[in-house]
C-alpha cells in the first residue's frame, strides 16, 4: 500500500506524500469503525452522547458501539454496503452518531446534507452520488422530511431506501433496521474514503469533498491537542452536527476520539444552550460569529452557571476584533478563532497565544506539514506579510473534489495546492489574517451561498433577463445576499418579494433566498465588459449607509 491514488472518483494523495504523512505519524492507520470499538473496550461505561430531546438519552461508549454494530448488520442485510453513498440529513440527535458509525463500519459513505437543505439540493446529492439510501428525521423544526423523501425517491432510481428517525410514514423506521451483529468481510481501510462532505461552493451546484479515514482522523487528534480536548472534556454541539466545523474542529468526532462526552443542543440559542452547559458541565463548544455575539450579550443576564466553559471556538466567518475582545470578559473562557474549510486546512489561534493574537488573527495551521502559499493573481508567491490568495496543500487537505475532473483543473494547481478563494495575510508569527475573499460566494454568518447557484435559479424566472448576486454588509450576519436583477424588455413588472418567493419555491435552503432584490436597467461593467460585482457591492453598501443615516 503506497499512495491513495486508487480512488476511482477523485484524485488521492500521491504516493510520496502519503508515505511522508505516514512516516511522520500524522496518518496513524486508524479507521473510524475501529476507533469507536477501541474506546468502547477501554471505557465502556463512560457517556459518549447526551441527547436531551424528549426524555433525554445518555448513550455510553459501549451502547453506541453496539448500536453501530447492529445497524451496520441491518444495513448490510438490506444490501447497503461498501462504497455505497447514503445521504444523511439529520438534526442534532443521538441517531446521527449511530448511523454515521454504522456507515463507517461497513464502508458506506455518508453524504453530509444540512437540515436546511430542501428538494433541489437533496435531489442533486442523491442523483449525483447515485445514493442507495437517504436518512432523515420525521419532522424537525416544523418541517416534514418524509414528504421531501417521497418526492426525491420518485425521481432518483438508485434510491432504494428511506430510513426515518421517528415515525416513518410510508418509509422505513430506522429503529426497524438493526440486526444481530455480523463480522464485516470487507471492512474499510485507513487510506480509503470515509465520507463525502459538502463544499460551501462558488459554482452552480455544491461540490462533494472526499475525505479519508487517515486524513480526517489526523485533523481530529491534531485539533484535540491544540484545543486541549481530552477524556475529561465535554463538547456541546450547538451548530448543525453535519457541518465540518462542529464535526471535526475539534467537534463531536474529535471529542469521541478523545473518549470525551458529546452533548447535543437541538438549537444554538442561549435559552437552550446555557442550561445544558450548566447541567452537563460543558467545557468547550464552537459557534459562528453571529451566535457568539448573541451569547456574549445573553451571558450578562443569565441565571445559569457557565463557569465550566473553558474554550469557545468561533469560526466559519470573520469574527471582528471588537466582538472577539468581548468573549473573555462576558463568558469567562478563552476564545479560540478557527479558520477552516471542509476541503481540509484548519487554523486555530493557540490557547496560550497573547490576547492580541487571539483577537486579531484567525490562527495558524494544525500541522507542520500544512503548506501555505500567499500568491498574486498569477500564482507568484508574495513577500511575507503581503495580502494575497491563499493556496494550501497538506496531510488532511483534499487533492480534488469527487467526480469533478473539469472543476478540479481550476480549483487546484498542477502540483496539488487547493485554491481556497480566501484572501489572507501572514503575520510574522505565522498566523493568518483573513482579509477578504476572491471566490464568488456570500458568507452569511458562516452559511455559504454560491452566487452562481442562486443566479441560475433567478434566471429561470420568465421576467428576468439577467441577474448578479452579491454580498451586502450586515451588522448581525456580517454579510447578506443582494440580487441585482435586469428585467426582460416588455416583461410583466415583478416585485422583489415575488423573486424571493420564486427562489424559495424552487426548493432551496432558506438561507439561500436573497435577502434583498434590486432592479436595475443594466449592470456596471469592468474594463473587459464583464459585470462588475465590485461596483454592485459598493453601490448596495452605499445605499444601506444612506438609509441608515436617514434613519438616525
Ligand atoms: C468552515 O467550512 P466551510 O467549508 O463551510 O467554509 C470555508 C470557508 C473558508 O474558505 C472561508 O472563506 C470561510 O469559510 N471561513 C472564514 C473563517 N472560517 C471559515 N472566514 C473568515 N474567518 C474565519 N474564521 O466554515 C469551517 C470548517 C472547519 C472549521 C471552521 C470553519
Amino acid at each position: 500500500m503506497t499512495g491513495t491514488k486508487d480512488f476511482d472518483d477523485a484524485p488521492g494523495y500521491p504516493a510520496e506524500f502519503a508515505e511522508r504523512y505516514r512516516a511522520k505519524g500524522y496518518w496513524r492507520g486508524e479507521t473510524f469503525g475501529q476507533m469507536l470499538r477501541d474506546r468502547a473496550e477501554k471505557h465502556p461505561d463512560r457517556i459518549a452522547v447526551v441527547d436531551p430531546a424528549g426524555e433525554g438519552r445518555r448513550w455510553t461508549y459501549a451502547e453506541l458501539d453496539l448500536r453501530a454494530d447492529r445497524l451496520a448488520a441491518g444495513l448490510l442485510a438490506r444490501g447497503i454496503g461498501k462504497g455505497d453513498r447514503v445521504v444523511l440529513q439529520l438534526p442534532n440527535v443521538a441517531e446521527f452518531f449511530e448511523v454515521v458509525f454504522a456507515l463507517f463500519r461497513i464502508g458506506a459513505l455518508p453524504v453530509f446534507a444540512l437540515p436546511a437543505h430542501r428538494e433541489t439540493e437533496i435531489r442533486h446529492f442523491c442523483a449525483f452520488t447515485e445514493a442507495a439510501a437517504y436518512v432523515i428525521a420525521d419532522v424537525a423544526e416544523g418541517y416534514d422530511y418524509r414528504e421531501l423523501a417521497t418526492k426525491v425517491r420518485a425521481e432518483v432510481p438508485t434510491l432504494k431506501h428511506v430510513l426515518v428517525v421517528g415515525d416513518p410514514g410510508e418509509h422505513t423506521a430506522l429503529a426497524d433496521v438493526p440486526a444481530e451483529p455480523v463480522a464485516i468481510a470487507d471492512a474499510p481501510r485507513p487510506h480509503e474514503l470515509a465520507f463525502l462532505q459538502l463544499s460551501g461552493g462558488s459554482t452552480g451546484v455544491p461540490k462533494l469533498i472526499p475525505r479519508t479515514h487517515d486524513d480526517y482522523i489526523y485533523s481530529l487528534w491534531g485539533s484535540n491537542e491544540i484545543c486541549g480536548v481530552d477524556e475529561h472534556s465535554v463538547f456541546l454541539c450547538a451548530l448543525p452536527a453535519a457541518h465540518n466545523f462542529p464535526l471535526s474542529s475539534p467537534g463531536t468526532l474529535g471529542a469521541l476520539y478523545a473518549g470525551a462526552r458529546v452533548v447535543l443542543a437541538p438549537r444554538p440559542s442561549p435559552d437552550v444552550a446555557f442550561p445544558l452547559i450548566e447541567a452537563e458541565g460543558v467545557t468547550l463548544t464552537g459557534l459562528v460569529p453571529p451566535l457568539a455575539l448573541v451569547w456574549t450579550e445573553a451571558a450578562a443576564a443569565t441565571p445559569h452557571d457557565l463557569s465550566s466553559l473553558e474554550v469557545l471556538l468561533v469560526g466559519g466567518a470573520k469574527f471582528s476584533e471588537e466582538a472577539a475582545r468581548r468573549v473573555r470578559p462576558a463568558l469567562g473562557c478563552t476564545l479560540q478563532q478557527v479558520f477552516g474549510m471542509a476541503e481540509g486546512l484548519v487554523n486555530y489561534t493557540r490557547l496560550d497565544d497573547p490576547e492580541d493574537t487571539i483577537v486579531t488573527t484567525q490562527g495558524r495551521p494544525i500541522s507542520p506539514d500544512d503548506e501555505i502559499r500567499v500568491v498574486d493573481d498569477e500564482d507568484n508567491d508574495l513577500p511575507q506579510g503581503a495580502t494575497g490568495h491563499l493556496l494550501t496543500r497538506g496531510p488532511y487537505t483534499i487533492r480534488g473534489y469527487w467526480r469533478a475532473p473539469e472543476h478540479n483543473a481550476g480549483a487546484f494547481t498542477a502540483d496539488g495546492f487547493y485554491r481556497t478563494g480566501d484572501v489572507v495575510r501572514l503575520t510574522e508569527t505565522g498566523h493568518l489574517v483573513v482579509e477578504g475573499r476572491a471566490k464568488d460566494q456570500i458568507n452569511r454568518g458562516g452559511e455559504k451561498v454560491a452566487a452562481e447557484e442562486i443566479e441560475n435559479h433567478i434566471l429561470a424566472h420568465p421576467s428576468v433577463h439577467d441577474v448578479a448576486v452579491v454580498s451586502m454588509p450586515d451588522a448581525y450576519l456580517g454579510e447578506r445576499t443582494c440580487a441585482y436583477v435586469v428585467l426582460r424588455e416588455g416583461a410583466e413588472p415583478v416585485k422583489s418579494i415575488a423573486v424571493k418567493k420564486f427562489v424559495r419555491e424552487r426548493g432551496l435552503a432558506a438561507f439561500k433566498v436573497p435577502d434583498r432584490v434590486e432592479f436595475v436597467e443594466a449592470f456596471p461593467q469592468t474594463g473587459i465588459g464583464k459585470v462588475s460585482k465590485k461596483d454592485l457591492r459598493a453601490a448596495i453598501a452605499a445605499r444601506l449607509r444612506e438609509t441608515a443615516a436617514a434613519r438616525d
Side-chain angles (χ1 to χ4, degrees):
M1 183 173 67
T2 50
T4 60
K5 264 202 166 309
D6 48 353
F7 310 146
D8 294 335
D9 298 307
Y13 295 86
E16 57 171 304
F17 286 87
E19 274 159 22
R20 189 197 318 153
Y21 298 152
R22 282 190 198 104
K24 291 201 172 183
Y26 305 139
W27 294 0
R28 293 177 165 176
E30 293 173 299
T31 60
F32 280 102
Q34 190 58 41
M35 180 272 266
L36 178 61
R37 177 81 83 245
D38 291 347
R39 302 301 174 274
E41 280 171 2
K42 196 163 160 227
H43 39 69
D45 299 328
R46 196 181 289 160
I47 301 293
V49 179
V50 178
D51 179 346
E55 307 277 281
R57 290 179 293 174
R58 309 173 78 78
W59 288 353
T60 62
Y61 274 87
E63 178 162 11
L64 178 59
D65 183 53
L66 178 62
R67 279 177 175 270
D69 263 352
R70 290 178 49 80
L71 185 57
L75 292 170
L76 285 172
R78 282 170 194 260
I80 298 168
K82 191 166 183 181
D84 285 341
R85 274 78 59 192
V86 174
V87 175
L88 184 66
Q89 189 183 29
L90 288 178
N92 292 1
V93 290
E95 286 85 354
F96 179 92
F97 298 95
E98 178 180 357
V99 175
V100 162
F101 278 97
L103 295 172
F104 285 159
R105 281 215 166 130
I106 62 178
L109 309 180
V111 180
F112 286 116
L114 295 171
H117 286 132
R118 292 294 178 260
E119 194 183 331
T120 299
E121 289 114 345
I122 297 297
R123 189 194 308 117
H124 171 66
F125 301 145
C126 290
F128 184 71
T129 67
E130 300 168 284
Y134 174 36
V135 183
I136 52 171
D138 48 8
V139 178
E141 301 293 316
Y143 183 78
D144 193 329
Y145 289 88
R146 295 166 299 192
E147 290 171 18
L148 174 58
T150 302
K151 282 192 208 157
V152 173
R153 194 173 171 187
E155 293 172 44
V156 180
T158 58
L159 194 63
K160 299 276 188 289
H161 308 274
V162 172
L163 309 177
V164 185
V165 174
D167 173 0
E170 64 180 273
H171 308 292
T172 304
L174 185 78
D176 289 341
V177 179
E180 274 311 297
V182 292
I184 292 157
D186 190 15
R189 295 186 296 159
H191 70 288
E192 292 179 324
L193 294 188
F195 59 84
L196 298 173
Q197 184 58 273
L198 306 184
S199 81
S202 53
T203 58
V205 286
K207 296 282 175 291
L208 295 162
I209 296 170
R211 302 290 301 256
T212 64
H213 294 262
D214 264 335
D215 92 75
Y216 210 65
I217 287 178
Y218 173 38
S219 80
L220 300 182
W221 68 258
S223 296
N224 283 350
E225 284 185 358
I226 293 167
C227 306
V229 173
D230 62 22
E231 63 199 69
H232 307 295
S233 301
V234 181
F235 178 78
L236 180 75
C237 180
L239 297 170
H243 188 273
N244 198 62
F245 175 21
L247 196 62
S248 67
S249 303
T252 55
L253 295 182
L256 294 174
Y257 187 89
R261 180 180 303 181
V262 169
V263 178
L264 297 168
R267 272 181 307 282
S269 52
D271 60 317
V272 174
F274 287 5
L276 287 172
I277 293 175
E278 181 175 40
E280 298 292 336
V282 169
T283 61
L284 82 164
T285 187
L287 295 176
V288 289
L291 283 169
L293 272 176
V294 170
W295 280 37
T296 48
E297 274 161 33
T302 185
H304 295 285
D305 178 5
L306 307 179
S307 61
S308 60
L309 200 59
E310 292 166 5
V311 177
L312 175 67
L313 294 125
V314 179
K318 179 86 182 245
F319 198 34
S320 74
E321 180 185 340
E322 193 208 348
R325 286 200 187 274
R326 285 190 229 155
V327 169
R328 191 191 292 274
L331 291 160
C333 64
T334 304
L335 165 68
Q336 213 168 9
Q337 295 214 39
V338 202
F339 163 41
M341 50 208 74
E343 285 81 357
L345 180 70
V346 180
N347 306 276
Y348 296 99
T349 54
R350 301 308 197 255
L351 296 174
D352 58 358
D353 274 341
E355 187 75 6
D356 271 342
T357 307
I358 291 178
V359 298
T360 60
T361 81
Q362 279 65 56
R364 56 187 174 85
I366 293 177
S367 178
D369 277 69
D370 278 322
E371 298 172 73
I372 298 289
R373 288 179 63 198
V374 181
V375 302
D376 67 14
D377 289 346
E378 276 77 47
D379 283 359
N380 302 304
D381 288 286
L382 292 171
Q384 199 273 321
T387 299
H389 303 285
L390 170 64
L391 310 183
T392 188
R393 187 171 75 174
Y396 57 96
T397 295
I398 57 163
R399 294 300 189 114
Y401 292 100
W402 197 76
R403 293 190 183 171
E406 280 172 27
H407 182 72
N408 287 340
F412 294 82
T413 64
D415 55 354
F417 279 81
Y418 167 55
R419 299 181 189 279
T420 65
D422 293 311
V423 173
V424 303
R425 170 169 67 78
L426 258 178
T427 69
E428 272 169 13
T429 50
H431 288 71
L432 289 161
V433 178
V434 181
E435 298 282 11
R437 184 170 10 136
K439 55 191 165 192
D440 201 2
Q441 184 186 78
I442 294 91
N443 190 334
R444 216 172 159 279
E447 289 183 312
K448 314 301 181 324
V449 182
E452 186 185 310
E453 183 182 356
I454 310 314
E455 287 163 0
N456 287 342
H457 286 288
I458 297 178
L459 276 175
H461 191 290
S463 298
V464 171
H465 168 68
D466 207 354
V467 58
V469 172
V470 296
S471 65
M472 56 183 186
D474 181 77
Y476 176 57
L477 290 180
E479 296 174 16
R480 287 185 193 262
T481 47
C482 177
Y484 273 95
V485 170
V486 178
L487 290 176
R488 269 186 212 288
E489 243 175 88
E492 286 280 301
V494 196
K495 289 214 167 87
S496 85
I497 187 129
V499 176
K500 295 183 191 180
K501 184 159 173 265
F502 181 77
V503 175
R504 194 171 305 112
E505 285 174 355
R506 288 181 64 90
L508 290 176
F511 67 81
K512 294 184 187 171
V513 175
D515 293 290
R516 185 173 175 128
V517 182
E518 292 280 309
F519 297 96
V520 287
E521 297 284 309
F523 294 134
Q525 295 197 337
T526 62
I528 51 164
K530 289 206 305 190
V531 177
S532 172
K533 290 203 165 177
K534 196 168 154 234
D535 287 337
L536 290 174
R537 278 192 293 269
I540 189 65
R543 184 93 181 262
L544 293 171
R545 275 196 305 274
E546 282 161 25
T547 330
R551 225 185 294 128
D552 290 342

